[in-house]
Amino acid sequence: MKPVLFITGHVPAYRAGALAALHERETIEVALFGGHSLHGGPGAAPAAEAQDSPGTGRERGGKAAPGMDARGFPARHARPHELFALAASGAYRAVVCPTGGRLAPLAGWAGTRRAGLPLLLWASLWAHPRSAAHALSYLPLRRLYRSADAVVTYGPHVSSYVQARGARNVHVAPQSVDNDFWRAPAAEPVSLPGWPERARTRFLFAGRDAPAKGLDVLLDAWRQANAAPAGDVLVLAGGAAHPGRHALAQGVHAVGPLDPESLRNVYAHSDALIVPSVATATFREPWGLVVNEAMNARTAVISSDAVGAAAGGLVRDGVNGLVVPARDSAALAQAIVRLGGQPGLSARLGAAGAQDVLAYSHEAWAEGFSGALASLGVSRGRW
């Protein structure tokens, strides 16, 4: 049976398990074109990539067969012109193209059409970036939405966006992390420089210090909440943890960038994760996987409505988290005060989130793509 060609820029750690699940269901080959990556860090290179020399394994569009990635799926690196050749080679039964990247989506699209294969578009945007460079990509991307045989999205918020721009046959592959890893029991205690050993309520921010992440809104809300005198603390983890900029605020502690095991431990010892992202001209949070991670650790979530995980239905206000308007520091301050004064509320929201996030699994993500393939008659179960 011919595999499905899956074109993407990187395979960060959180995506590897999802691709492995899809490979098990459908048999795929991943083509990596690289490029800029902000989400989840850059992906590792294929672990056993074959050499591009004649006679080395099965041929794919003039290139040797890809090596098997140690994480459970075959993968190779490819330049845009090589993506065209791969998609046009006739060696696949369908092609998945991303919306990210400059030439890669168009090369994959052109090659797929040359071969007369079903084209699946993997879409993540729910607002097109507003810049001179992105203005040039709007019409080509809209054409991709309209011409794709199926579109797979991050969630219903992205589905609504692409359907308004002509997409048809739209399916959802819910954003996922390795739930088993993030649910593992926490170590005791947290041992990190800057970690507050004692606190009534620990609030956590985990992310980059970039305008779209809303850190300035959070720090303004923290000052308005005046939570520190009551014994509450705000912990900054990740790229936002710059002591010279933030640690002077009362009750704010910076612990620096963390490896996954340390971050998992910090989630488990925090009462609430705050995700205050805002929409900017060039970025709107497609999802926010820190939400999935924190929910698995039974940590309550306070999210702005500019976060895809809230717009897409994972974070539900008053059910498994609190949702506040983006850029509204007063509303965020009220949510901080509310959770700080009601420890039972954060526990209840955290427990509900831990249950709800189980539906956002690697298997569910793979099932979303299988459904799209089935709608075109090329799912493995129907081949």
Side-chain angles (χ1 to χ4, degrees):
M1 184 182 64
K2 294 179 180 179
V4 173
L5 179 63
F6 197 107
I7 300 172
T8 186
H10 299 275
V11 181
Y14 73 84
R15 186 69 70 200
L19 286 169
L22 182 58
H23 179 58
E24 184 176 355
R25 294 174 67 102
E26 297 290 349
T27 308
I28 65 171
E29 289 183 6
V30 177
L32 305 170
F33 59 84
H36 193 50
S37 178
L38 291 177
H39 315 295
E49 190 171 25
Q51 299 297 315
D52 292 337
S53 56
T56 308
R58 183 175 45 176
E59 297 291 322
R60 290 279 187 241
K63 295 292 183 179
M68 191 68 180
D69 191 283
R71 297 171 294 182
F73 51 86
R76 73 164 88 228
H77 291 290
R79 298 180 181 89
H81 72 277
E82 293 171 330
L83 292 175
F84 172 85
L86 284 170
S89 67
Y92 305 95
R93 70 182 194 272
V95 178
V96 178
C97 286
T99 56
R102 295 182 179 179
L103 298 178
L106 297 178
W109 177 84
T112 304
R113 291 310 184 215
R114 171 69 64 86
L117 297 175
L119 173 70
L120 286 74
L121 186 67
W122 185 24
S124 61
L125 295 177
W126 56 303
H128 195 79
R130 301 187 305 276
S131 70
H134 287 102
L136 296 175
S137 68
Y138 179 75
L139 290 179
L141 190 54
R142 185 162 182 166
R143 184 182 179 189
L144 286 178
Y145 292 143
R146 292 172 178 268
S147 66
D149 299 297
V151 178
V152 183
T153 73
Y154 278 29
H157 60 308
V158 181
S159 296
S160 296
Y161 175 81
V162 298
Q163 286 170 332
R165 284 148 186 83
R168 54 194 172 84
N169 192 22
V170 179
H171 301 257
V172 173
Q175 281 286 67
S176 61
V177 298
D178 184 346
N179 289 338
D180 290 339
F181 173 85
W182 295 103
R183 298 175 84 84
E188 292 284 355
V190 174
S191 178
L192 292 169
W195 176 257
E197 295 184 2
R198 296 184 180 182
R200 182 183 73 163
T201 308
R202 290 190 184 94
F203 295 91
L204 173 67
F205 175 92
R208 296 178 290 116
D209 187 3
K213 295 300 181 179
L215 184 56
D216 289 336
V217 176
L218 170 56
L219 293 175
D220 185 33
W222 183 255
R223 288 188 289 267
Q224 292 182 49
N226 196 30
D232 298 339
V233 298
L234 172 62
V235 177
L236 306 180
H242 300 305
R245 179 179 174 189
H246 305 303
L248 295 180
Q250 187 178 19
V252 178
H253 300 257
V255 296
L258 303 175
D259 59 59
E261 290 77 10
S262 297
L263 180 57
R264 179 179 61 188
N265 204 24
V266 164
Y267 283 136
H269 289 87
S270 298
D271 298 286
L273 172 74
I274 303 178
V275 191
S277 301
V278 300
T280 68
T282 58
F283 186 79
R284 181 178 291 184
E285 191 79 67
W287 190 258
L289 287 168
V290 290
V291 171
N292 300 56
E293 296 167 359
M295 282 187 167
N296 274 297
R298 303 178 70 89
T299 306
V301 174
I302 302 174
S303 170
S304 82
D305 58 7
V307 175
L314 175 53
V315 186
R316 294 178 290 158
D317 187 48
V319 177
N320 61 13
L322 299 178
V323 180
V324 301
R327 299 187 185 276
D328 191 336
S329 58
L332 181 53
Q334 291 175 5
I336 291 171
V337 171
R338 183 180 175 189
L339 279 189
Q342 301 181 61
L345 176 60
S346 60
R348 177 176 68 80
L349 296 176
Q355 181 62 38
D356 292 342
V357 76
L358 289 174
Y360 294 74
S361 65
H362 290 333
E363 290 71 23
W365 184 89
E367 185 177 353
F369 276 93
S370 286
L373 291 167
S375 73
L376 303 174
V378 292
S379 176
R380 185 177 179 179
R382 297 189 180 187
W383 189 253

